[in-house]
Amino acid sequence: MQTGNLLLLLIAIGAAVWYLGYRRSHAVAAPLGGIRHLHSLPSYYAMLAMIWCVLPALALLGMWLIIDDSIIRNSVISALPVAALPTDEVGYNLLMNKIQNVASGALAEDAVQPYVAIAAEHLNSLRRSNTQLLTLFFVCLSVLGGVWGWSRIQPQLRARQRVEKVIQFLLMLSALVAILTTVGIVFSVLFESIRFFGKVSPAEFLFGLEWSPQTALRADQVASSGAFGAVPLFAGTLLISAIALIIAVPVGLMSAIYLAEYAHPKFRAFAKPTLEILAGVPTVVYGFFAALTVAPFIRELGDSIGLSVASESALAAGLVMGVMIIPFVSSLSDDVITAVPNAMRDGSLALGATKSETIKQVIIPAALPGIMGGVLLAASRAIGETMIVVMAAGLAANLTANPLEAVTTITVQIVTLLVGDQEFDSAKTLAAFALGLMLFLTTLALNIIALRIVKKYREQYE
Amino acid sequence: METASSINDTSEAPSQKKTASDNTNSTVKVNATGSVPMNETNIEYPDKTVGFPLVDDPKMSMRDVNVFYGDKQAIFDVNLDVGKNEVIALIGPSGCGKSTFLRSLNRMNDTIDTCRVNGEFHLEGDNIYDPRLDVVELRARVGMVFQKPNPFPKSIYDNVAYGPRLHGLANKRYELDQIVESSLRKAGLWDEVKDRLHQPGTGLSGGQQQRLCIARTIAVSPEVVLMDEPCSALDPIATAKIEQLIDELSSQYTIAIVTHSMQQAARVSHRTAYFHLGRLIEVNDTRKVFTAPDHRLTEAYITGRFG
Ligand SMILES: Nc1ncnc2c1ncn2[C@@H]1O[C@H](COP(=O)(O)OP(=O)(O)O)[C@@H](O)[C@H]1O
Ligand SMILES: [Mg+2]
């Protein structure tokens, strides 16, 4: 039977076991005088029996599916005549492919060597018996588990605790999946980066001033040898993020102060969610807004006062990114400003301070750690932001501090390195992993610092 | 309730008109409205405060005070004087309006949107609620210490220097240093903090924080200090220190203190005002209030019959 059908079957068996377990727990309870003499509610007994039925069978299925393929392959290969045995991995894979193609009928039997045809036959028969065996074991195990679980239903059985344990275990497993995925991604980026640093020295990557990642794909191709100095990318990223923060921090902070301290509650109730919508606008929308509206506008403005502005200026991308991250600053700042205890305001006002003196000298200093946290989160968002810069920032890796020129960023380069066909072990492709690692480390550090600051701030006003 | 009464004549010293003979125990039953929750049946409310709410030559005088939060009235027709260099204790069950009344004395109620204050408030003849009067200046003259110590997240020095800096009380650094030192000395905190003036005020113990708040308040040389349950968040030893401090401060300042501890009222105050459900029931010498109160509500409260 196919795996899907096995699962359907398991659901059916499990449901039956649940029902029987439910019945049995009532039956066990009846002579004692009702279910209140059981340790747990009948549904817990039924659930426990069902767990006994389902979980071992699922575990068997999982394990079986992981190992059966390699066992079958090995047995097919070992049945080959010694002379036909492949010597290296490439040969092994080719042969295995051939056998599989013949077995599935994609390749005619008479087009291949006879020993391949025999092996294909062998493979097919092994697969058939494999499926039969799996079905047999699977069904037996689920039924046995169900019967075992069912027969264990006793008034003293602590079914509730056991079910809780199993549920806790399943929840932990889910959490583990998320964590392990993250760890896996980090390690894969790390290992690919290490491979990259085998081709390009870390010193060149970190301190080189030249970025032109074109390497020859084929030996006969005419191409430069490629330069992987990432400093222009770091500088471009910093420039655009700095412009964004110059916009976002004052605007965000002042709007937070207005919303938290001055605005009428009704206006605040309307304005705060509206501001937060800004954060929900898809970044691609910001991107084409930057590329199609803001960038031409800035260029015309520059032209009209006699400045030459690149059509993809850092300024345009930075401005739009700044608007995008305003909510990160304002929303968090607003939260921490409102969290400053009213006693603090009263204390200052009672000494004769005006409202703005109170805000400037007491509220902001008190809320400063939280505000810093918001700014750092916004900065990490700006550094990792991709869509806006892909659309509005340039590709040329200029090393400049002039916001009117085109610069490029880490994220833009990662995108350009990986768009199109790649060779997996060229320095060009691997460079994307190294850049990704840099990006990841920076934003990780910013996030950790920001969260620590915010947490410390929260503790202060517990 | 808001009819102008004869005592509200602003051109003369208002307290002179009122004599002790007015303050007879004339009482009426106000059960009829039904809006006032009762702790006992047949409670008699005086139509006037019993005892001696008014004094000669007061520091502050309040007439016909009514305070509302939105539609809800929190203070009903209160008349009260606070004498010069006097410590007056405001007592009463919680929710009776002590804090509300106290906060109306330095217009802290202005910070609450729904709060509306009616009545005449005078500080040495100046109308506190005069629109031309600068509330900044008023609060420099009438300082306030709160229930929970609320030092600013600044150094001890900057906490005390905060008010003097706002009001430009010192021209030179050494003048500010002097103000800070003398305020901390008056608050009895100098010896404990003189070596760590530049460490955060939030690092002090609760009792030290509260004395820091008192130092901060007196640093602007107020005439009146309002205290709203200044010891309710403190342990008995810190409380004793603050009580001793209040006693010392009363030689220079006029103090109005809200407290829920009757022992504290008895220890620190000269006069005691008893509030009940927004009304000022009785004002008398503290000793009289705690030995032979004129009104049975006061008696019921001090003998512990309502919380
Ligand atoms: N900010 C406010 N908004 C609305 N009602 C309030 C507010 N502050 C106090 N009150 C009400 O006013 C009454 C008096 O309160 P308060 O002055 O705090 O009493 P006390 O200090 O004597 O315990 C209470 O009924 C309280 O519910
Ligand atoms: Mg109170």
Side-chain angles (χ1 to χ4, degrees):
Chain A
M1 237 191 278
Q2 307 255 283
T3 315
N5 292 345
L6 284 180
L7 289 178
L8 286 180
L9 188 65
L10 185 64
I11 292 176
I13 298 175
V17 168
W18 193 93
Y19 176 72
L20 292 174
Y22 193 78
R23 289 278 303 273
R24 182 175 157 96
S25 59
H26 271 284
V28 166
L32 298 174
I35 57 169
R36 67 202 168 86
H37 294 282
L38 296 179
H39 174 272
S40 310
L41 285 175
S43 60
Y44 280 105
Y45 290 104
M47 184 69 97
L48 190 62
M50 192 178 82
I51 286 170
W52 271 111
C53 160
V54 171
L55 278 191
L58 276 183
L60 171 80
L61 182 66
M63 248 143 48
W64 193 290
L65 290 181
I66 289 172
I67 58 172
D68 66 346
D69 204 46
S70 58
I71 292 179
I72 291 176
R73 275 161 170 262
N74 279 342
S75 112
V76 167
I77 292 291
S78 59
L80 286 174
V82 181
L85 278 182
T87 49
D88 59 354
E89 203 179 319
V90 179
Y92 174 85
N93 283 337
L94 277 178
L95 183 63
M96 222 36 236
N97 266 338
K98 217 190 248 174
I99 296 173
Q100 264 162 2
N101 282 338
V102 174
S104 65
L107 206 62
E109 253 176 60
D110 40 9
V112 294
Q113 298 94 321
Y115 67 84
V116 174
I118 294 169
E121 188 60 36
H122 187 45
L123 178 65
N124 273 338
S125 77
L126 276 179
R127 279 190 175 157
R128 270 193 302 276
S129 45
N130 175 45
T131 324
Q132 283 161 1
L133 269 181
L134 173 60
T135 310
L136 182 69
F137 279 123
F138 184 76
V139 173
C140 282
L141 190 59
S142 63
V143 170
L144 276 179
V147 170
W148 163 251
W150 177 81
S151 67
R152 274 168 46 97
I153 294 176
Q154 296 292 332
Q156 306 85 4
L157 177 67
R158 298 156 68 82
R160 191 155 24 108
Q161 279 84 343
R162 306 236 165 145
V163 171
E164 292 293 345
K165 275 240 171 67
V166 173
I167 288 176
Q168 194 187 338
F169 173 75
L170 290 179
L171 294 179
M172 195 190 69
L173 215 62
S174 317
L176 223 58
V177 167
I179 293 171
L180 287 182
T181 313
T182 317
V183 171
I185 291 176
V186 170
F187 272 96
S188 104
V189 170
L190 191 67
F191 287 133
E192 300 295 323
S193 305
I194 290 173
R195 278 175 68 194
F196 171 76
F197 288 127
K199 293 174 195 272
V200 176
S201 81
E204 186 198 334
F205 177 74
L206 289 178
F207 305 114
L209 302 183
E210 191 83 35
W211 177 266
S212 67
Q214 290 313 319
T215 49
L217 279 178
R218 295 187 308 274
D220 58 335
Q221 223 171 12
V222 183
S224 58
S225 59
F228 291 96
V231 170
L233 312 191
F234 298 152
T237 305
L238 281 185
L239 179 62
I240 291 183
S241 304
I243 295 171
L245 288 176
I246 288 172
I247 302 292
V249 171
V251 176
L253 188 55
M254 285 193 279
S255 66
I257 292 173
Y258 177 73
L259 286 182
E261 295 289 327
Y262 291 97
H264 191 273
K266 274 187 194 149
F267 178 74
R268 182 186 145 89
F270 153 82
K272 205 176 174 214
T274 313
L275 247 175
E276 277 158 10
I277 287 178
L278 270 184
V281 175
T283 53
V284 67
V285 175
Y286 282 113
F288 65 69
F289 178 64
L292 302 181
T293 313
V294 178
F297 173 75
I298 290 178
R299 195 155 66 126
E300 275 164 35
L301 202 69
D303 282 347
S304 68
I305 56 171
L307 282 173
S308 82
V309 181
S311 59
E312 294 181 316
S313 60
L315 188 59
L319 285 180
V320 174
M321 197 190 278
V323 173
M324 185 195 82
I325 60 176
I326 286 175
F328 286 84
V329 180
S330 75
S331 186
L332 213 83
S333 305
D334 177 272
D335 288 347
V336 296
I337 290 174
T338 18
V340 173
N342 257 332
M344 216 66 96
R345 291 182 185 83
D346 283 352
S348 171
L349 293 173
L351 284 168
T354 63
K355 195 158 187 173
S356 68
E357 283 166 341
T358 302
I359 291 169
K360 206 167 61 198
Q361 300 191 33
V362 176
I363 309 289
I364 299 292
L368 197 60
I371 293 172
M372 282 302 299
V375 170
L376 289 183
L377 282 184
S380 109
R381 224 3 239 274
I383 289 172
E385 169 51 37
T386 308
M387 225 46 227
I388 293 177
V389 282
V390 165
M391 296 170 87
L395 288 177
N398 294 326
L399 186 54
T400 173
N402 180 355
L404 302 180
E405 277 183 47
V407 296
T408 192
T409 69
I410 298 175
T411 49
V412 171
Q413 288 306 314
I414 293 178
V415 171
T416 40
L417 288 174
L418 294 186
V419 168
D421 290 339
Q422 271 84 43
E423 212 184 349
F424 271 113
D425 48 1
S426 77
K428 181 183 166 203
T429 312
L430 291 176
F433 286 100
L435 288 178
L437 184 66
M438 291 295 125
L439 203 58
F440 176 74
L441 290 180
T442 323
T443 51
L444 183 72
L446 282 177
N447 280 329
I448 289 177
I449 298 172
L451 290 180
R452 286 203 139 186
I453 292 177
V454 172
K455 184 160 157 260
K456 222 170 169 186
Y457 171 79
R458 296 247 156 87
E459 282 164 4
Q460 192 183 333
Y461 292 116
E462 212 101 274
Chain B
M1 276 178 183
E2 294 182 64
T3 51
S5 75
S6 62
I7 51 169
N8 189 15
D9 188 349
T10 50
S11 58
E12 297 168 48
S15 61
Q16 306 296 7
K17 290 194 167 182
K18 193 99 172 164
T19 61
S21 62
D22 290 338
N23 295 313
T24 51
N25 281 9
S26 57
T27 57
V28 289
K29 294 188 177 185
V30 292
N31 276 343
T33 61
S35 66
V36 183
M38 296 287 169
N39 288 315
E40 296 173 12
T41 48
N42 298 325
I43 286 183
E44 291 169 351
Y45 286 97
D47 64 343
K48 282 190 194 121
T49 304
V50 301
F52 300 88
L54 309 184
V55 299
D56 296 340
D57 191 19
K59 184 78 193 177
M60 297 186 87
S61 69
M62 282 63 71
R63 294 292 177 275
D64 297 320
V65 176
N66 288 281
V67 183
F68 305 81
Y69 290 107
D71 295 333
K72 189 170 160 260
Q73 188 162 4
I75 295 288
F76 298 83
D77 296 314
V78 168
N79 292 282
L80 181 66
D81 281 347
V82 181
K84 291 201 166 108
N85 287 22
E86 168 178 86
V87 179
I88 182 165
L90 313 182
I91 62 170
S94 50
C96 69
K98 306 176 298 286
S99 300
T100 302
F101 183 73
L102 196 74
R103 288 166 62 92
S104 66
L105 302 187
N106 66 344
R107 291 179 59 175
M108 281 303 284
N109 282 331
D110 291 11
T111 62
I112 299 171
D113 289 337
T114 56
C115 189
R116 202 156 43 82
V117 179
N118 291 338
E120 297 278 332
F121 293 76
H122 283 93
L123 170 63
E124 298 256 25
D126 296 331
N127 181 356
I128 291 176
Y129 280 82
D130 185 340
R132 283 163 303 178
L133 180 118
D134 191 357
V135 70
V136 168
E137 192 203 329
L138 168 71
R139 288 181 188 153
R141 292 174 68 189
V142 184
M144 186 157 196
V145 176
F146 296 85
Q147 181 167 358
K148 233 182 119 205
N150 56 350
F152 302 134
K154 299 169 177 289
S155 70
I156 294 169
Y157 184 96
D158 287 336
N159 261 284
V160 183
Y162 184 80
R165 280 185 179 135
L166 282 178
H167 300 288
L169 300 186
N171 295 317
K172 301 264 165 46
R173 174 78 194 197
Y174 75 87
E175 289 176 2
L176 193 59
D177 289 348
Q178 274 172 0
I179 294 178
V180 170
E181 178 174 344
S182 72
S183 308
L184 284 170
R185 276 191 196 283
K186 280 188 210 160
L189 195 58
W190 175 251
D191 290 329
E192 289 160 63
V193 302
K194 62 173 184 260
D195 299 324
R196 48 170 171 158
L197 285 178
H198 296 285
Q199 285 172 20
T202 44
L204 297 172
S205 74
Q208 288 173 324
Q209 288 188 10
Q210 193 63 300
R211 277 180 284 151
L212 177 63
C213 292
I214 293 174
R216 182 174 83 184
T217 305
I218 57 185
V220 292
S221 309
E223 298 159 40
V224 181
V225 178
L226 310 174
M227 300 186 174
D228 192 350
E229 303 194 19
C231 303
S232 65
L234 305 182
D235 61 71
I237 292 172
T239 300
K241 280 196 179 141
I242 304 259
E243 286 177 4
Q244 190 196 345
L245 178 59
I246 292 170
D247 204 41
E248 288 162 19
L249 293 176
S250 66
S251 61
Q252 292 180 49
Y253 307 96
T254 301
I255 296 173
I257 176 171
V258 170
T259 173
H260 62 214
S261 150
M262 277 166 283
Q263 293 90 327
Q264 182 167 72
R267 281 193 295 261
V268 302
S269 70
H270 309 136
R271 278 162 83 226
T272 296
Y274 174 67
F275 284 77
H276 191 92
L277 293 175
R279 285 162 220 276
L280 181 53
I281 303 296
E282 171 169 354
V283 184
N284 262 317
D285 272 357
T286 296
R287 196 169 310 133
K288 174 154 175 52
V289 168
F290 287 101
T291 51
D294 282 336
H295 198 277
R296 44 178 294 229
L297 277 174
T298 318
E299 189 186 353
Y301 179 70
I302 61 168
T303 53
R305 277 201 272 147
F306 357 96

